[in-house]
Amino acid sequence: MNHFIFDFDGTIVDNFDLVHKIVVAELKNQGIIVTKSKEELRELGVRATMTEYKISKIAMLKMVLSLKKQIHIELFDYPPVKGLMDVLKKIYKTENLYILSTNKLENIRKYLNKFGLNNYFKEIFEDKSYFGKSHTLDGLLKKIKADKKDVYYIGDEVRDVEAAKKSGIRSVAVAWGFEGDNPLKSANPDFLFHRPEELLNLIAS
């Protein structure tokens, strides 16, 4: 039996438009005008975007904090990624599913309940660590007592891939979320998927 740990925003929730709107508005408040389109930013990736627009780490931190405060207001207006619900319905019957996210636990539970996904996940973990996702991943792995070779972390950002590698588990990058092919490929994930149906390939691996 495998253990699939899912990121939430961008990976399960199709809310890139929401995050983009909040980020652009917050950067504008800081005097940074974003001229690239949403798709251009996806393919550029977070780090390259910071470099191109000269976004400091402090400005990025302010933006992330603002994002976390605002995202819950409109979160429930954005459905799960198209096709993912059917995939989860198949996977959870034979595999253990979890969520690890920086989003608030309460928000995630309400969202899963609204869209009928609450029965698919064994447990939800909120990442509150200042040391990065890998630190929380390590704690999660100890709790579920799983063999690392049977654990996959599924996320839509380069930092998700890096966290999985640091924790010694398999990284699954999904290109339907916040970062696109170019930045995700550069992180060298174990798997790179473009459609939710491709996750079914992991069941037999």
Side-chain angles (χ1 to χ4, degrees):
M1 179 178 288
N2 293 318
H3 303 267
F4 294 159
I5 305 169
F6 285 81
D7 176 49
F8 185 64
D9 292 291
T11 300
I12 292 177
V13 187
D14 188 10
N15 60 346
F16 175 61
D17 286 350
L18 170 61
V19 172
H20 175 266
K21 179 178 70 173
I22 295 173
V23 167
V24 169
E26 178 58 29
L27 290 176
K28 185 177 181 180
N29 289 337
Q30 297 184 39
I32 300 171
I33 305 301
V34 177
T35 55
K36 290 187 178 295
S37 69
K38 287 182 293 185
E39 285 306 312
E40 287 175 328
L41 289 176
R42 284 183 76 253
E43 289 305 324
L44 192 59
V46 174
R47 291 170 184 168
T49 296
M50 287 180 66
T51 299
E52 178 159 332
Y53 286 96
K54 299 179 180 178
I55 303 170
S56 68
K57 290 184 179 180
I58 293 177
M60 177 60 75
L61 178 59
K62 289 181 180 179
M63 184 189 69
V64 171
L65 292 175
S66 177
L67 181 63
K68 291 183 72 172
K69 288 180 180 178
Q70 296 181 55
I71 197 170
H72 72 279
I73 298 174
E74 299 180 54
L75 173 66
F76 307 99
D77 295 331
Y78 290 81
V81 170
K82 186 177 180 181
L84 184 61
M85 292 179 68
D86 290 336
V87 171
L88 293 175
K89 188 175 182 180
K90 294 175 182 178
I91 293 178
Y92 99 103
K93 294 177 181 178
T94 58
E95 319 296 333
N96 290 323
L97 308 186
Y98 307 88
I99 290 175
L100 170 62
S101 173
T102 54
N103 205 318
K104 292 184 178 181
L105 196 62
E106 180 183 5
N107 291 341
I108 297 173
R109 285 174 174 163
K110 285 182 179 179
Y111 185 91
L112 296 180
N113 186 61
K114 175 177 179 177
F115 289 98
L117 300 173
N118 49 309
N119 292 327
Y120 298 154
F121 297 93
K122 292 180 70 66
E123 198 164 353
I124 303 167
F125 297 85
E126 182 179 346
D127 178 22
K128 298 180 180 179
S129 174
Y130 290 103
F131 303 102
K133 276 191 174 181
S134 63
H135 186 268
T136 307
L137 268 176
D138 290 341
L140 188 162
L141 293 171
K142 288 181 180 178
K143 186 170 184 179
I144 66 176
K145 298 178 180 178
D147 189 327
K148 289 187 177 182
K149 69 177 178 60
D150 298 324
V151 183
Y152 300 79
Y153 185 43
I154 302 163
D156 63 320
E157 297 180 71
V158 168
R159 64 187 183 127
D160 297 325
V161 175
E162 293 174 344
K165 289 179 177 294
K166 192 171 182 179
S167 293
I169 59 178
R170 300 188 188 189
S171 56
V172 183
V174 296
W176 57 73
F178 297 165
E179 293 192 285
D181 262 5
N182 289 334
L184 292 175
K185 283 179 180 177
S186 70
N188 195 30
D190 293 303
F191 303 90
L192 175 58
F193 294 150
H194 297 83
R195 296 177 295 106
E197 293 81 7
E198 292 178 274
L199 292 170
L200 296 172
N201 296 329
L202 300 177
I203 294 178
S205 63

